[in-house]
Amino acid sequence: MKLLLNLLRIIVGVLFIFSGLIKANDPLGLSYKMEEFFEVLHLTFLSPLSLTYSLVMNTLEIALGAALLLGYSMRLTSTLLLIMIAFFTFLTGYALYSGEIRECGCFGDCIKLTATETFWKDVILLVMILIIFIYRKRIQPLFGKKLTAVLVLLSVVFAAGIQWYTLSHLPFVDCLGYKVGNNLPEKMKLPPGARPAEYETVLIYKKDGEEKEFTPENYPWSDSTWVFVDRKDKLVKEAVGEAPVKDFILTDPNGGGDQTQAILSEPTPVYLFLVKNVKEAGEGWDAKMHALQEQMKAGKIYIYGVTASSKEEILAFSAAHGLQFPFLQMDGTAIKTAGRSNPCLILLEKGTVKGKWHYNDIP
């Protein structure tokens, strides 16, 4: 039993630290995935706090993994681990059996797991942690009580520090399709053998206090007593492969049409100033962008703003910050995938990403 417990604490502890570190590399990515869960579970009132939940969860994963390896306060540590893995198993089970969420983001964007793989991974971890919880009194700390507590506290500080840095700059490791060195036209192509996901439209109707799901094929169209409640798309068959870069479509808000190919094929350096929502843009970048505008006026570069905001909001934002370059519009999800800060600056040369900067680091 002692050998089994030590083996389990190493496996679980290392996995929790590894999972937490991967997500701490990109806490915004996890917060976006949380917003997706909140929407599906009809808990959208929690969405404004998604980043806070992300930061806390990542810190807890790393700290609990460290506490388990060190044998710190096993009653508290094993209880929190059991609560967390039960919660994760519920979420991944919901993602798998509801078909409404393709992946839970348990290992961030760096390691992609299917909903099935993630669920059974959590089930196995649940069994492991349950054994640790039952026999927690047999696990002794590796060091003295004070030293162990200090080491656990350092793991909390370390986790918080990593996330503060990535939010103030950009992720240490960019695991998305827009990382420096990628050619966007190539990344927009589907890989060989790829197949898009298949969804089924589900209609929810209510009758005599009972809700029932129908498809357009089996709905009792002749019975008008059913009252419509909701409509959702249910995943029937998961996608096989997908393009790393999706929905990268740049349109002119002034009616100039699709500018995507013109920008991706431009040999002159093109800076894309990504601002998902102009009302939520960070500050402190104005002087740097004004300096880049001088290069634009000299004909050395092009600059385009890219946003999901309205034309009226763009005009007000440009006037407030003294921006003299045109803005294009793009899907908000694509913008927050391309740049993990608001604003974020990307440099393209013939469609290849040559640089990417958080607004605090704009050169």
Side-chain angles (χ1 to χ4, degrees), residues 85-119:
I85 196 60
F87 177 64
F88 290 162
T89 305
F90 163 74
L91 289 181
T92 55
Y94 185 87
L96 173 62
Y97 292 107
S98 72
E100 295 181 31
I101 299 174
R102 283 194 55 201
E103 55 190 38
C104 78
C106 297
F107 286 117
D109 291 295
C110 294
I111 300 178
K112 296 282 191 179
L113 295 179
T114 65
T116 303
E117 292 168 342
T118 305
F119 173 70

Short mmCIF file of all heavy atoms in Angstrom, two decimals, residues 85-119:
data_model
loop_
_atom_site.label_atom_id
_atom_site.label_comp_id
_atom_site.label_asym_id
_atom_site.label_seq_id
_atom_site.Cartn_x
_atom_site.Cartn_y
_atom_site.Cartn_z
N ILE A 85 -11.33 17.24 -8.87
CA ILE A 85 -11.43 16.22 -9.91
C ILE A 85 -12.88 15.81 -10.13
O ILE A 85 -13.28 15.48 -11.26
CB ILE A 85 -10.54 14.99 -9.59
CG1 ILE A 85 -10.36 14.13 -10.85
CG2 ILE A 85 -11.11 14.18 -8.46
CD1 ILE A 85 -9.70 14.84 -12.00
N ALA A 86 -13.70 15.84 -9.08
CA ALA A 86 -15.13 15.55 -9.26
C ALA A 86 -15.77 16.62 -10.13
O ALA A 86 -16.59 16.32 -11.02
CB ALA A 86 -15.82 15.48 -7.90
N PHE A 87 -15.39 17.88 -9.90
CA PHE A 87 -15.90 18.99 -10.71
C PHE A 87 -15.44 18.85 -12.15
O PHE A 87 -16.23 18.98 -13.09
CB PHE A 87 -15.41 20.30 -10.11
CG PHE A 87 -15.80 21.52 -10.89
CD1 PHE A 87 -17.13 21.88 -11.04
CD2 PHE A 87 -14.83 22.32 -11.48
CE1 PHE A 87 -17.50 23.00 -11.77
CE2 PHE A 87 -15.18 23.44 -12.20
CZ PHE A 87 -16.52 23.79 -12.34
N PHE A 88 -14.14 18.54 -12.36
CA PHE A 88 -13.61 18.37 -13.72
C PHE A 88 -14.31 17.21 -14.43
O PHE A 88 -14.62 17.30 -15.62
CB PHE A 88 -12.10 18.09 -13.67
CG PHE A 88 -11.27 19.28 -13.26
CD1 PHE A 88 -9.96 19.11 -12.82
CD2 PHE A 88 -11.77 20.57 -13.32
CE1 PHE A 88 -9.19 20.19 -12.44
CE2 PHE A 88 -11.01 21.66 -12.95
CZ PHE A 88 -9.71 21.47 -12.50
N THR A 89 -14.54 16.11 -13.70
CA THR A 89 -15.18 14.93 -14.31
C THR A 89 -16.60 15.26 -14.74
O THR A 89 -17.06 14.83 -15.81
CB THR A 89 -15.17 13.75 -13.33
OG1 THR A 89 -13.83 13.50 -12.90
CG2 THR A 89 -15.71 12.49 -14.00
N PHE A 90 -17.30 16.04 -13.92
CA PHE A 90 -18.65 16.47 -14.30
C PHE A 90 -18.62 17.29 -15.59
O PHE A 90 -19.40 17.06 -16.53
CB PHE A 90 -19.29 17.29 -13.19
CG PHE A 90 -20.47 18.10 -13.64
CD1 PHE A 90 -21.69 17.50 -13.91
CD2 PHE A 90 -20.35 19.48 -13.83
CE1 PHE A 90 -22.77 18.27 -14.35
CE2 PHE A 90 -21.42 20.23 -14.28
CZ PHE A 90 -22.64 19.63 -14.53
N LEU A 91 -17.68 18.27 -15.66
CA LEU A 91 -17.60 19.13 -16.84
C LEU A 91 -17.23 18.34 -18.09
O LEU A 91 -17.84 18.53 -19.15
CB LEU A 91 -16.57 20.24 -16.61
CG LEU A 91 -16.94 21.34 -15.61
CD1 LEU A 91 -15.82 22.37 -15.52
CD2 LEU A 91 -18.24 22.03 -16.00
N THR A 92 -16.23 17.47 -17.97
CA THR A 92 -15.80 16.71 -19.16
C THR A 92 -16.87 15.69 -19.56
O THR A 92 -17.04 15.40 -20.74
CB THR A 92 -14.46 16.02 -18.91
OG1 THR A 92 -14.54 15.19 -17.74
CG2 THR A 92 -13.35 17.03 -18.70
N GLY A 93 -17.59 15.13 -18.56
CA GLY A 93 -18.69 14.23 -18.88
C GLY A 93 -19.81 14.96 -19.60
O GLY A 93 -20.38 14.46 -20.57
N TYR A 94 -20.10 16.18 -19.14
CA TYR A 94 -21.12 16.99 -19.81
C TYR A 94 -20.69 17.32 -21.24
O TYR A 94 -21.50 17.24 -22.17
CB TYR A 94 -21.36 18.28 -19.03
CG TYR A 94 -22.48 19.12 -19.60
CD1 TYR A 94 -23.79 18.90 -19.22
CD2 TYR A 94 -22.22 20.12 -20.54
CE1 TYR A 94 -24.83 19.65 -19.75
CE2 TYR A 94 -23.24 20.87 -21.08
CZ TYR A 94 -24.54 20.64 -20.68
OH TYR A 94 -25.55 21.38 -21.23
N ALA A 95 -19.40 17.69 -21.40
CA ALA A 95 -18.90 18.01 -22.74
C ALA A 95 -19.02 16.81 -23.66
O ALA A 95 -19.36 16.94 -24.84
CB ALA A 95 -17.44 18.47 -22.64
N LEU A 96 -18.75 15.61 -23.11
CA LEU A 96 -18.79 14.40 -23.93
C LEU A 96 -20.22 14.02 -24.29
O LEU A 96 -20.53 13.78 -25.47
CB LEU A 96 -18.10 13.25 -23.19
CG LEU A 96 -18.20 11.87 -23.83
CD1 LEU A 96 -17.53 11.87 -25.21
CD2 LEU A 96 -17.58 10.82 -22.94
N TYR A 97 -21.10 13.94 -23.31
CA TYR A 97 -22.43 13.37 -23.55
C TYR A 97 -23.45 14.40 -24.04
O TYR A 97 -24.46 14.02 -24.63
CB TYR A 97 -22.92 12.67 -22.28
CG TYR A 97 -22.10 11.44 -21.97
CD1 TYR A 97 -21.19 11.42 -20.92
CD2 TYR A 97 -22.21 10.30 -22.78
CE1 TYR A 97 -20.42 10.29 -20.66
CE2 TYR A 97 -21.45 9.18 -22.52
CZ TYR A 97 -20.55 9.18 -21.46
OH TYR A 97 -19.79 8.06 -21.23
N SER A 98 -23.20 15.67 -23.83
CA SER A 98 -24.12 16.67 -24.38
C SER A 98 -23.79 16.96 -25.84
O SER A 98 -24.67 17.33 -26.62
CB SER A 98 -24.04 17.97 -23.58
OG SER A 98 -22.82 18.64 -23.82
N GLY A 99 -22.51 16.80 -26.20
CA GLY A 99 -22.08 17.10 -27.56
C GLY A 99 -22.04 18.57 -27.89
O GLY A 99 -21.84 18.95 -29.04
N GLU A 100 -22.21 19.44 -26.88
CA GLU A 100 -22.28 20.87 -27.14
C GLU A 100 -20.91 21.55 -27.05
O GLU A 100 -20.75 22.69 -27.48
CB GLU A 100 -23.24 21.54 -26.15
CG GLU A 100 -24.69 21.07 -26.33
CD GLU A 100 -25.62 21.76 -25.36
OE1 GLU A 100 -25.35 22.91 -24.99
OE2 GLU A 100 -26.63 21.15 -24.97
N ILE A 101 -19.93 20.85 -26.47
CA ILE A 101 -18.58 21.40 -26.34
C ILE A 101 -17.60 20.35 -26.85
O ILE A 101 -17.58 19.21 -26.38
CB ILE A 101 -18.26 21.76 -24.87
CG1 ILE A 101 -19.25 22.83 -24.38
CG2 ILE A 101 -16.83 22.24 -24.73
CD1 ILE A 101 -19.12 23.16 -22.93
N ARG A 102 -16.76 20.74 -27.79
CA ARG A 102 -15.87 19.77 -28.43
C ARG A 102 -14.74 19.33 -27.52
O ARG A 102 -14.35 18.18 -27.52
CB ARG A 102 -15.29 20.36 -29.72
CG ARG A 102 -16.24 20.37 -30.89
CD ARG A 102 -15.50 20.65 -32.18
NE ARG A 102 -14.41 19.71 -32.36
CZ ARG A 102 -13.35 19.94 -33.14
NH1 ARG A 102 -13.25 21.08 -33.77
NH2 ARG A 102 -12.42 19.04 -33.27
N GLU A 103 -14.17 20.26 -26.76
CA GLU A 103 -13.05 19.93 -25.89
C GLU A 103 -13.09 20.86 -24.68
O GLU A 103 -13.59 21.98 -24.75
CB GLU A 103 -11.73 20.07 -26.63
CG GLU A 103 -11.54 21.44 -27.24
CD GLU A 103 -10.35 21.51 -28.18
OE1 GLU A 103 -10.12 20.54 -28.91
OE2 GLU A 103 -9.67 22.55 -28.17
N CYS A 104 -12.55 20.38 -23.56
CA CYS A 104 -12.68 21.16 -22.33
C CYS A 104 -11.50 22.09 -22.10
O CYS A 104 -11.55 22.93 -21.21
CB CYS A 104 -12.83 20.23 -21.14
SG CYS A 104 -11.28 19.50 -20.61
N GLY A 105 -10.43 21.95 -22.85
CA GLY A 105 -9.26 22.80 -22.65
C GLY A 105 -8.48 22.44 -21.40
O GLY A 105 -7.82 23.28 -20.81
N CYS A 106 -8.56 21.16 -20.97
CA CYS A 106 -7.91 20.73 -19.73
C CYS A 106 -6.38 20.85 -19.79
O CYS A 106 -5.73 20.97 -18.76
CB CYS A 106 -8.30 19.30 -19.40
SG CYS A 106 -10.07 19.11 -19.09
N PHE A 107 -5.82 20.75 -20.98
CA PHE A 107 -4.39 20.96 -21.16
C PHE A 107 -4.13 22.16 -22.07
O PHE A 107 -3.14 22.19 -22.80
CB PHE A 107 -3.73 19.70 -21.74
CG PHE A 107 -3.58 18.58 -20.75
CD1 PHE A 107 -4.22 17.37 -20.93
CD2 PHE A 107 -2.80 18.75 -19.62
CE1 PHE A 107 -4.09 16.35 -20.02
CE2 PHE A 107 -2.66 17.72 -18.69
CZ PHE A 107 -3.31 16.52 -18.89
N GLY A 108 -5.04 23.13 -22.01
CA GLY A 108 -4.86 24.34 -22.80
C GLY A 108 -4.93 24.06 -24.30
O GLY A 108 -5.49 23.06 -24.75
N ASP A 109 -4.33 24.96 -25.07
CA ASP A 109 -4.30 24.80 -26.52
C ASP A 109 -3.05 24.07 -27.00
O ASP A 109 -2.90 23.80 -28.19
CB ASP A 109 -4.36 26.18 -27.20
CG ASP A 109 -5.71 26.84 -27.02
OD1 ASP A 109 -6.69 26.29 -27.55
OD2 ASP A 109 -5.79 27.87 -26.35
N CYS A 110 -2.15 23.76 -26.07
CA CYS A 110 -0.89 23.12 -26.46
C CYS A 110 -1.04 21.62 -26.66
O CYS A 110 -0.36 21.02 -27.49
CB CYS A 110 0.19 23.39 -25.42
SG CYS A 110 0.67 25.14 -25.31
N ILE A 111 -1.91 20.99 -25.88
CA ILE A 111 -2.15 19.55 -26.00
C ILE A 111 -3.65 19.35 -26.20
O ILE A 111 -4.43 19.54 -25.27
CB ILE A 111 -1.67 18.78 -24.76
CG1 ILE A 111 -0.16 18.99 -24.57
CG2 ILE A 111 -1.97 17.30 -24.89
CD1 ILE A 111 0.39 18.32 -23.33
N LYS A 112 -4.02 18.98 -27.39
CA LYS A 112 -5.44 18.83 -27.71
C LYS A 112 -5.89 17.39 -27.40
O LYS A 112 -5.28 16.43 -27.86
CB LYS A 112 -5.67 19.11 -29.20
CG LYS A 112 -5.36 20.55 -29.61
CD LYS A 112 -6.46 21.50 -29.21
CE LYS A 112 -6.28 22.87 -29.84
NZ LYS A 112 -7.37 23.79 -29.47
N LEU A 113 -6.93 17.27 -26.60
CA LEU A 113 -7.54 15.97 -26.32
C LEU A 113 -9.00 16.02 -26.74
O LEU A 113 -9.66 17.06 -26.60
CB LEU A 113 -7.46 15.65 -24.82
CG LEU A 113 -6.07 15.45 -24.20
CD1 LEU A 113 -6.22 15.17 -22.70
CD2 LEU A 113 -5.31 14.34 -24.88
N THR A 114 -9.50 14.90 -27.25
CA THR A 114 -10.92 14.84 -27.58
C THR A 114 -11.73 14.79 -26.30
O THR A 114 -11.20 14.53 -25.20
CB THR A 114 -11.24 13.59 -28.43
OG1 THR A 114 -10.99 12.41 -27.62
CG2 THR A 114 -10.36 13.53 -29.67
N ALA A 115 -13.02 15.03 -26.43
CA ALA A 115 -13.90 14.99 -25.25
C ALA A 115 -13.87 13.61 -24.60
O ALA A 115 -13.89 13.49 -23.37
CB ALA A 115 -15.32 15.36 -25.67
N THR A 116 -13.80 12.55 -25.42
CA THR A 116 -13.74 11.18 -24.88
C THR A 116 -12.46 10.94 -24.11
O THR A 116 -12.47 10.40 -22.99
CB THR A 116 -13.85 10.16 -26.03
OG1 THR A 116 -15.06 10.40 -26.76
CG2 THR A 116 -13.85 8.74 -25.50
N GLU A 117 -11.33 11.33 -24.70
CA GLU A 117 -10.04 11.14 -24.03
C GLU A 117 -9.98 11.91 -22.71
O GLU A 117 -9.50 11.39 -21.70
CB GLU A 117 -8.91 11.60 -24.96
CG GLU A 117 -8.72 10.72 -26.18
CD GLU A 117 -7.79 11.36 -27.22
OE1 GLU A 117 -7.58 12.58 -27.15
OE2 GLU A 117 -7.29 10.62 -28.10
N THR A 118 -10.48 13.14 -22.72
CA THR A 118 -10.44 13.97 -21.52
C THR A 118 -11.31 13.38 -20.41
O THR A 118 -10.91 13.34 -19.24
CB THR A 118 -10.92 15.39 -21.83
OG1 THR A 118 -10.14 15.93 -22.90
CG2 THR A 118 -10.77 16.29 -20.64
N PHE A 119 -12.50 12.90 -20.76
CA PHE A 119 -13.40 12.35 -19.76
C PHE A 119 -12.80 11.13 -19.08
O PHE A 119 -12.78 11.03 -17.84
CB PHE A 119 -14.75 11.99 -20.39
CG PHE A 119 -15.68 11.27 -19.45
CD1 PHE A 119 -16.25 11.94 -18.38
CD2 PHE A 119 -15.97 9.93 -19.64
CE1 PHE A 119 -17.10 11.28 -17.50
CE2 PHE A 119 -16.83 9.27 -18.76
CZ PHE A 119 -17.39 9.94 -17.70
#
